[in-house]
Amino acid sequence: MFEKFVFGLILFALPLAVFLQCFTESVFVLNPLIDTQLPEGFTQLGFNSIQPGMAKTEVLKFIPAPADGLEGNGWSYGNDGAAVWGDYAWFQFHINFDKHGKVIQTSQMKFHD
């Protein structure tokens, strides 16, 4: 009797878990960036290596240039829609520079839309 209950629970819970993970804009735990479109060569490890005070040329040693160019006091990376199946949370990464081109701060935001 207990085995039938466990089997029934698994049959109910597994599809529910797959649905919730794939279609609710949650973070996919095995690959959090699965639905984030990023340029070739961009990694979260590289982004996390960026420190305040770094020049733009130093930043480019860790991550590629943003799609909209090197000008400006803010670089942004990340768009929604990279996952082929499912709809997950996605991330956007920002780097803010001062007027001399030195990193002031980095940030990342998670979106559930």
Side-chain angles (χ1 to χ4, degrees):
M1 183 71 171
F2 179 74
E3 291 84 13
K4 286 184 179 182
F5 172 76
V6 171
F7 184 71
L9 184 63
I10 290 171
L11 284 179
F12 173 75
L14 187 59
L16 180 61
V18 169
F19 173 80
L20 291 175
Q21 185 69 103
C22 294
F23 301 104
T24 60
E25 287 285 339
S26 61
V27 175
F28 185 60
V29 294
L30 299 176
N31 181 2
L33 298 179
I34 193 170
D35 205 19
T36 305
Q37 295 176 358
L38 293 164
E40 185 74 30
F42 185 99
T43 65
Q44 192 158 15
L45 180 63
F47 180 80
N48 292 342
S49 299
I50 299 166
Q51 300 296 317
M54 285 183 167
K56 290 180 179 181
T57 54
E58 293 175 284
V59 170
L60 293 173
K61 294 176 184 175
F62 294 101
I63 58 174
D68 56 355
L70 301 176
E71 300 302 317
N73 292 332
W75 292 358
S76 293
Y77 300 84
N79 290 304
D80 190 14
V84 177
W85 52 272
D87 194 12
Y88 302 95
W90 61 281
F91 293 83
Q92 199 167 65
F93 300 86
H94 298 279
I95 306 169
N96 295 322
F97 298 94
D98 66 14
K99 63 182 178 180
H100 304 291
K102 303 283 185 178
V103 174
I104 299 170
Q105 71 177 19
T106 62
S107 62
Q108 75 179 46
M109 296 171 48
K110 176 174 46 174
F111 296 91
H112 298 277
D113 57 355

